Amino acid sequence: KVPSNQEKIIKFGEYVFRFLYHFSVSVYGLYYFWDKPWWDWSGIGSGSSEAAMAAAADATSSWSSWPWSWSWSWWTTGNETATAAAVVTTGTTLLFRGYPNHDIDVGMAWYYLLQCAYNVDAFISLVELSFDFDFEFNVPFLHFKNDKDDSKLNDEKKDPKLLLSTNPIKISWSSTVRGDFPEMMIHHIITNSLVFASSYFRFTRVGSMVFLIHDISDVPIDMSKLANFVKWTKTTVVCFVSMVIIWTVTRMTILPFVIVKSVWCESHLVFSTSDDGWVGMMDARTYRMHF
């Protein structure tokens, strides 16, 4: 029973850690990003009408020059000029407009550092959980004492390949390997690649939106796991219903119809504001892999 209880304690500790992390970082994210203009989807900007019309004309001409613009016409509704004018100072166009001269203040830097640390730790934990590493640094000639062993030593001196035949590191599957290891490994590799790439190419605005949406929707999942672990049936049901509602709002509504839409339809704005816009565009498009 001892190994079984130990395994349960470790699993419970992981659930508690994930819940505390996702809850804390979600609260911080909501507080920090509450007044950020790229989260304002009211469609009413504070710029002058002249600036709004100029931005609208720029956006319309830039967008119409793209060869695939016709295929995304169903994403847009209403008057395009009015829409472009409304997002001069607010809206998701600010995720890309002005790139790469986006200010990255201390709050954003710490937010990204925490997210990076968590995702790297998740990747390392998956590797530790899935593999057993045995390190054996054996030097054969140190163990030979008698004449018979001396003859072996002479043979090995004549053939250096014998000294290299023993692999000092042995890697094997662990008994605790997850059943969905391939999927989780691919997920962590792509996630960490996006985290580092978005930080390096200064796409922290869109990256922070993806972080916050995922963290908020992960909170009820962690609560459901904890409630189910301690056999609180009613609490588990309540947490599950909350999870369905929050997932519908965040990952099934905001994520595809706001963030993904912006990446697909508005990331072309980096070309008009950056000499290295094509590099940023490549990074922005890689978000499709994660979604």
Side-chain angles (χ1 to χ4, degrees):
K1 293 183 179 180
V2 175
S4 178
N5 291 336
Q6 184 68 21
E7 183 178 349
K8 290 181 179 179
I9 292 174
I10 294 175
K11 184 174 294 186
F12 181 77
E14 291 178 353
Y15 291 161
V16 172
F17 169 74
R18 292 177 183 176
F19 168 73
L20 292 177
Y21 171 79
H22 289 133
F23 178 79
S24 301
V25 78
S26 296
V27 171
Y28 173 78
L30 289 173
Y31 167 78
Y32 176 74
F33 295 109
W34 186 260
D35 59 348
K36 294 298 183 285
W38 56 87
W39 275 102
D40 183 4
W41 311 323
S42 61
I44 301 177
S46 59
S48 63
S49 58
E50 293 79 5
M53 293 304 296
D58 174 71
T60 303
S61 60
S62 299
W63 180 243
S64 61
S65 64
W66 283 77
W68 54 77
S69 59
W70 60 270
S71 62
W72 298 104
S73 59
W74 61 278
W75 283 91
T76 59
T77 57
N79 190 306
E80 292 184 359
T81 302
T83 301
V87 294
V88 173
T89 57
T90 63
T92 54
T93 56
L94 295 181
L95 296 175
F96 307 100
R97 190 180 297 277
Y99 174 86
N101 300 316
H102 295 163
D103 294 332
I104 301 178
D105 55 20
V106 176
M108 178 69 83
W110 275 108
Y111 185 73
Y112 244 78
L113 285 173
L114 287 173
Q115 297 286 2
C116 179
Y118 176 80
N119 284 282
V120 171
D121 175 75
F123 175 78
I124 295 175
S125 298
L126 178 65
V127 173
E128 292 178 344
L129 189 68
S130 305
F131 299 101
D132 287 330
F133 298 90
D134 295 326
F135 299 92
E136 298 180 358
F137 297 96
N138 295 326
V139 183
F141 60 81
L142 294 180
H143 302 287
F144 300 141
K145 297 181 179 179
N146 52 39
D147 296 338
K148 186 176 181 180
D149 291 336
D150 289 340
S151 63
K152 292 182 179 180
L153 176 59
N154 294 331
D155 292 339
E156 290 176 350
K157 285 183 177 179
K158 295 178 182 178
D159 189 2
K161 293 182 180 180
L162 293 177
L163 291 174
L164 302 177
S165 61
T166 303
N167 188 357
I169 303 177
K170 295 182 179 179
I171 304 176
S172 59
W173 291 105
S174 174
S175 58
T176 58
V177 62
R178 296 172 56 114
D180 58 348
F181 169 79
E183 294 82 0
M184 292 304 299
M185 178 59 71
I186 295 174
H187 165 75
H188 285 306
I189 291 175
I190 293 178
T191 299
N192 281 280
S193 299
L194 289 173
V195 171
F196 285 105
S198 62
S199 177
Y200 179 80
F201 292 112
R202 301 179 69 86
F203 278 99
T204 52
R205 291 184 178 181
V206 64
S208 63
M209 292 185 74
V210 175
F211 282 144
L212 186 56
I213 289 299
H214 281 71
D215 291 333
I216 293 175
S217 58
D218 281 338
V219 172
I221 297 177
D222 299 329
M223 293 177 61
S224 300
K225 290 181 178 180
L226 284 172
N228 183 64
F229 191 89
V230 297
K231 307 301 181 183
W232 292 353
T233 305
K234 294 182 179 179
T235 306
T236 302
V237 173
V238 173
C239 292
F240 180 78
V241 173
S242 302
M243 180 193 69
V244 173
I245 296 174
I246 294 176
W247 262 67
T248 302
V249 174
T250 56
R251 298 203 184 191
M252 300 182 66
T253 303
I254 297 178
L255 183 63
F257 297 108
V258 176
I259 302 177
V260 176
K261 174 187 174 182
S262 177
V263 171
W264 276 104
C265 301
E266 298 171 344
S267 57
H268 68 281
L269 294 174
V270 300
F271 282 95
S272 61
T273 57
S274 172
D275 294 335
D276 297 328
W278 67 274
V279 177
M281 173 66 78
M282 292 177 63
D283 180 60
R285 296 301 187 185
T286 56
Y287 274 93
R288 293 177 297 175
M289 299 174 61
H290 185 64
F291 301 139

